[in-house]
Amino acid sequence: MAELPDIPNAGAGAAGGEAANLPHARLEGIAERYGTPCFVYDAAAMRHAAGRLRAAFPEGAALFYPVKANPNPAIVGLFAALGFGAEVASRGELALAMATGIPAKRIVWSGPAKTDDDLGAAVAARIFALQVESPGEIQRLAAIARQVGRPAAAVLRLDLPQDAGARRGDWAGASSFGMDEATAAAILGVRDRLAPVEIIGFHNHPTSGSLNAADFVRRFATLIEAVGRLSQGFAPRFVNFGGGFGAPFYADDPALDLDPIAAFLRGPEVQAVVGDAPPPQLGFEMGRYVTGPAGRYLARVVAVKRTAGRRFAALDGGIHHLMVVSGTLRFLRRPVAVSGPPADESKSEPTELTGPLCAPTDRLASAVPLSKTLAPGGLIVFSGCGAYGKQASPLNFLGHDWPPEILVDGDHERLIARRVRFDEVLALQSPDHPAAAGPGRVPP
Ligand SMILES: *Cc1c(COP(=O)(O)O)cnc(C)c1O
């Protein structure tokens, strides 16, 4: 594996926004009670972010919580209680969303490889709509709906042309997601033959983690223009703008300014297309924005050493819980927002933060200014880790425990996922594992 480049970590704890709710001393107490490494989420921060979205989107817009951003049932349930629907992409996510109290009529399902079993499950559950990604998919959906004699709603997911501002990793232009405009038009042309499937509108998920409001205005405009062209002789009832709003994660990240987006969504370009009576409902699927800033990953220093002129602090947590800091699932690896035990500014020393894995990629942050007296037991806090954290990481790589998750709500705190040992994970899958037969046995 190649050595990672140096990533100087300028500011400590810059990201994370509403950090005031969870000062270091409170996190110390949580770390003592539940052990490290662990994830801590702040319910108030999630509610605040949801409120900002509600204020930014036009009245009556439907908000769908994308389950993949953080599938902890307590967190999905928190958004259910706030009136969110769900965006799901598997039968597992569908079952989870429904188990947390999100009614099927508020669930949309995306994904480029939905199997017949997936489509059948969606039809049986009577979800709000399948976001269809190809002509073949809508034909299979129609066949399945006919077979079971149930109606089903479909939304055509559009794969819009990539513009100059697009970044690597964007969901745009010749991707596996959705269909080009000509294909969507062709499907609309034969929609009568798809009964009992009804096409109700359009979807586009433009990007992920962008902090640039102009990006969204441009992409939303691209979608609205395409919807306008596709609405000749067809009146959409639903237009879904997808997700992608970023939240501060790296130390130098700004907050996303929602004002220009809010203004655009109420402006003449959108009104010209969706201003008819009755107007189509607008949908949004923001995940990272509502969960990212609310989460912290806590790990303790196990060993401190100096080698080749640098100080290293090896932590009990690593990229097996927080793969996102290694750059995977992100566009660029940049300094993350991290803080340690309070230090006198003049007495800090740049420190490499590494994890327990026997892999050079297990470096969580570089050149972080941390107290010169940092010692084993010191608590390190990574901010902005509420989205694409634990469940988007290779949890079993090298056989460590799955970290517990704790939800803080005001003065209350609650364990919302317990620590799971590696032998439990193995025993669950394999009846031959010695842990399935009892502890303390060496396999023959
Ligand atoms: C992942 C995903 C989302 C959520 O993206 P965020 O960047 O977390 O807002 C929304 N819609 C679809 C279709 C997705 O695949």
Side-chain angles (χ1 to χ4, degrees):
M1 249 179 262
E3 239 325 273
L4 289 167
D6 270 2
I7 308 141
N9 232 310
E18 285 127 356
N21 295 337
L22 289 175
H24 199 84
R26 175 133 191 227
L27 294 171
E28 249 316 332
I30 292 173
E32 267 161 38
R33 282 188 288 285
Y34 298 95
T36 56
C38 65
F39 282 89
V40 180
Y41 310 111
D42 180 4
M46 289 186 263
R47 290 195 201 99
H48 282 142
R52 284 195 297 273
L53 288 184
R54 285 251 182 256
F57 297 144
E59 208 177 317
L63 268 56
F64 301 91
Y65 175 67
V67 171
K68 79 173 186 288
N70 188 325
N72 184 292
I75 289 181
V76 183
L78 184 144
F79 289 103
L82 292 175
F84 277 59
E87 186 266 339
V88 305
S90 66
R91 273 172 282 157
E93 287 189 351
L94 174 65
L96 168 60
M98 292 180 64
T100 64
I102 297 180
K105 63 174 192 286
R106 288 206 199 126
I107 295 177
V108 291
W109 186 327
S110 329
K114 302 182 197 78
T115 64
D116 285 355
D117 285 346
D118 293 339
L119 297 173
V123 172
R126 298 180 188 269
I127 67 168
F128 175 67
L130 281 137
Q131 313 209 103
V132 167
E133 318 242 0
S134 65
E137 183 184 327
I138 203 166
Q139 274 157 10
R140 282 189 296 128
L141 175 63
I144 288 165
R146 245 170 247 144
Q147 208 177 359
V148 297
R150 280 203 181 178
V155 171
L156 301 182
R157 180 171 183 173
L158 301 176
D159 183 24
L160 297 171
Q162 199 155 18
D163 57 47
R167 300 169 302 162
R168 185 168 70 88
D170 274 9
W171 276 248
S175 75
S176 70
F177 305 105
M179 59 190 80
D180 55 35
E181 204 179 313
T183 305
I187 292 176
L188 284 174
V190 298
R191 65 183 183 279
D192 293 347
R193 281 186 249 149
L194 294 168
V197 169
E198 189 198 353
I199 297 171
I200 61 167
F202 305 100
H203 170 251
N204 178 245
H205 171 56
T207 184
S208 189
S210 172
L211 294 163
N212 183 340
D215 252 16
F216 288 101
V217 168
R218 205 176 51 243
R219 279 142 202 283
F220 287 0
T222 307
L223 172 60
I224 275 297
E225 285 158 22
V227 168
R229 288 187 296 270
L230 290 165
S231 301
Q232 314 298 322
F234 170 75
R237 289 196 274 124
F238 179 65
V239 178
N240 188 348
F241 291 84
F245 283 5
F249 177 75
Y250 295 109
D252 55 352
D253 275 343
L256 172 65
D257 178 9
L258 297 183
D259 291 350
I261 301 167
F264 174 79
L265 289 170
R266 290 168 178 81
E269 285 171 71
V270 174
Q271 286 314 307
V273 175
V274 306
D276 298 342
Q281 182 165 40
L282 306 187
F284 298 89
E285 311 168 325
M286 302 300 161
R288 192 189 308 273
Y289 187 85
V290 288
T291 56
R296 305 213 180 8
Y297 179 62
L298 274 47
R300 280 199 198 279
V301 176
V302 174
V304 180
K305 70 177 175 192
R306 289 188 175 72
T307 181
R310 289 209 215 172
R311 184 168 74 157
F312 283 79
L315 310 180
D316 59 5
I319 61 157
H320 54 310
H321 299 163
L322 206 58
M323 189 176 69
V324 66
V325 302
S326 75
T328 321
L329 293 178
R330 299 288 300 198
F331 312 118
L332 274 175
R333 191 178 191 277
R334 298 190 356 249
V336 298
V338 51
S339 60
D344 169 352
E345 274 302 316
S346 61
K347 294 205 186 105
S348 72
E349 179 176 346
T351 307
E352 305 302 298
L353 293 178
T354 59
L357 305 186
C358 301
T361 40
D362 194 11
R363 176 143 46 144
L364 294 124
S366 217
V368 186
L370 293 172
S371 166
K372 262 203 187 314
T373 59
L374 184 72
L379 185 69
I380 304 293
V381 178
F382 295 84
S383 299
C385 295
Y388 306 107
K390 177 176 165 183
Q391 303 295 357
S393 299
L395 288 168
N396 298 318
F397 190 41
L398 276 132
H400 293 274
D401 291 351
W402 291 9
E405 296 168 79
I406 297 103
L407 181 66
V408 171
D409 197 350
D411 294 337
H412 300 278
E413 68 194 37
R414 184 160 76 88
L415 185 68
I416 58 170
R418 71 169 175 89
R419 183 179 300 283
V420 175
R421 296 187 321 273
F422 185 54
D423 62 0
E424 294 180 83
V425 175
L426 293 184
L428 196 61
Q429 301 169 79
S430 163
D432 297 330
H433 187 273
R441 275 190 52 211
V442 176

